[in-house]
Amino acid sequence: MAENEWLNKDFYKVLGVSKDATETEITKAYRKLARKYHPDLNKTKEAEEKFKDISEAYDVLSNKSERQKYDAIRQFGMGGARFAGGSGSGGFDASGFSDIFGSMFGAGSGAGMGGNGSRIRFSTSGGGNPNLNDIFSMFGGAAGQGAGSPYGNAGGYSYEEAPRPENGEDRNSKISLTLRQAVKGATVSLAVDGKKFKAHVPAGVKDGQKIKLAGKGKPGINGGRAGDLYLHVTVKPDETFSMRGSDIVMDLPVTVGEAVAGGKVEAKDIDGNPVTFKVPAGSSSGAEIKLAGLGVKRGNQPGDLIGRVQIMVPAKPGLMLKHAAKEFDEKAGDYLSR
């Protein structure tokens, strides 16, 4: 909204707050009204206009410098400063208005406003009222811009709006892990803009998963926060092990005798440490045997190590073994459901 419209707008009244309301009170009032009049929730034309008004009011009052500027102009327009007529132009008594700017910019009463309270003249518009363009030019970058005005930047006062903070952009990167690194977690070395750092990959990360590293993206501008870095994870397949949720699954080769009669089968876990599976009698290929707590250690409930039974037979059985196998089938009876 243009500053020369501020004299006709009471933003405090629009939001329903007092002129000494805190930033928290202003934000709370805005959110309450926004929920009531937002076009997505209230389809009336009146609500649409009302939402524009409260948005304009919040944009000014939530910005400290804009609020100071607005308060000064409103005070000026309501008689906070004095005018005196003159030949061909309006006269302006800076002794009142300088106090407003003194509170905003740290200047003392009358300082820079014509020395010691002297009068500064502005061009008039219509019935002798001061031209707001000349007043706004004192803020710098306002309506008058100082260009074409015989008074320029009156009294040396200027105003420049602080640049708005802008958040930095996010970055994307790729990492490749072995299955064991994915199961156990890993510390990886990364580099961004020539700066090296280490990042921790949590245990149990999956192939295709993204890991967010907050603040490791591109830097922000004007005090905005830095973006984030997203690591896209690839987990290399393993010949022996796979991950299923929080469990580690492996094939467990057993003999025909161990499958039929049961027994203890030795194997090695993903760290190469020896483990013992107790194979129940009558286990068929595909049956799963669990070793509790030896899976992915993530949180308070670690997963399990699952041995998936695979019955193995000799690649080239001799005559005696073939005879024994047939004899076994005869004695076992019809136990297959085909």
Side-chain angles (χ1 to χ4, degrees), residues 86-277:
S87 177
S89 64
F92 171 53
D93 188 344
S95 62
F97 202 31
S98 62
D99 291 337
I100 300 172
F101 291 113
S103 66
M104 293 171 62
F105 303 107
S109 176
M113 295 289 292
N116 52 358
S118 61
R119 294 187 178 188
I120 302 174
R121 293 186 179 276
F122 294 90
S123 60
T124 61
S125 173
N129 292 326
N131 189 328
L132 290 181
N133 285 341
D134 293 326
I135 299 171
F136 294 140
S137 69
M138 299 170 66
F139 291 95
Q145 296 294 335
S149 170
Y151 311 101
N153 192 12
Y157 286 101
S158 63
Y159 176 84
E160 182 177 351
E161 184 177 357
R164 293 182 179 274
E166 296 181 23
N167 294 337
E169 296 180 4
D170 295 333
R171 300 179 190 264
N172 290 278
S173 186
K174 297 179 180 180
I175 57 171
S176 180
L177 304 175
T178 64
L179 181 68
R180 185 179 183 279
Q181 287 176 316
V183 167
K184 296 292 185 178
T187 299
V188 296
S189 297
L190 302 168
V192 174
D193 292 336
K195 297 180 179 179
K196 296 182 178 180
F197 64 96
K198 295 184 182 296
H200 178 68
V201 177
V205 66
K206 303 294 192 301
D207 182 63
Q209 187 173 334
K210 289 193 298 184
I211 299 174
K212 175 182 174 181
L213 301 180
K216 295 300 183 180
K218 294 184 179 180
I221 301 174
N222 301 325
R225 70 171 184 83
D228 302 321
L229 174 61
Y230 289 90
L231 295 180
H232 297 254
V233 178
T234 299
V235 179
K236 300 175 184 177
D238 188 271
E239 293 181 357
T240 305
F241 300 95
S242 62
M243 189 161 43
R244 188 177 66 195
S246 294
D247 296 332
I248 303 172
V249 182
M250 61 176 290
D251 285 340
L252 182 64
V254 300
T255 66
V256 174
E258 289 169 335
V260 173
K264 295 181 178 180
V265 177
E266 300 292 332
K268 291 185 178 180
D269 65 13
I270 198 168
D271 291 321
N273 298 320
V275 292
T276 302
F277 289 91

Side-chain angles (χ1 to χ4, degrees), residues 324-338:
K326 288 182 179 181
E327 187 177 353
F328 169 78
D329 286 345
E330 291 173 358
K331 291 182 179 181
D334 187 11
Y335 64 91
L336 292 180
S337 57
R338 306 189 188 194

Side-chain angles (χ1 to χ4, degrees), residues 2-56:
E3 290 89 341
N4 55 12
E5 297 180 25
W6 285 357
L7 289 175
N8 300 320
K9 294 281 186 176
D10 189 341
F11 293 149
Y12 294 101
K13 184 177 180 180
V14 170
L15 293 182
V17 297
S18 65
K19 290 181 174 59
D20 58 353
T22 64
E23 292 182 10
T24 301
E25 291 171 337
I26 290 171
T27 300
K28 183 177 180 180
Y30 166 73
R31 289 176 176 173
K32 180 179 179 180
L33 291 171
R35 285 193 295 268
K36 182 177 180 181
Y37 294 104
H38 195 283
D40 290 343
L41 303 175
N42 193 328
K43 304 295 184 180
T44 65
K45 184 66 176 179
E46 178 186 357
E48 181 179 352
E49 294 300 321
K50 184 71 174 179
F51 185 73
K52 289 180 181 178
D53 290 342
I54 63 177
S55 296
E56 289 171 346

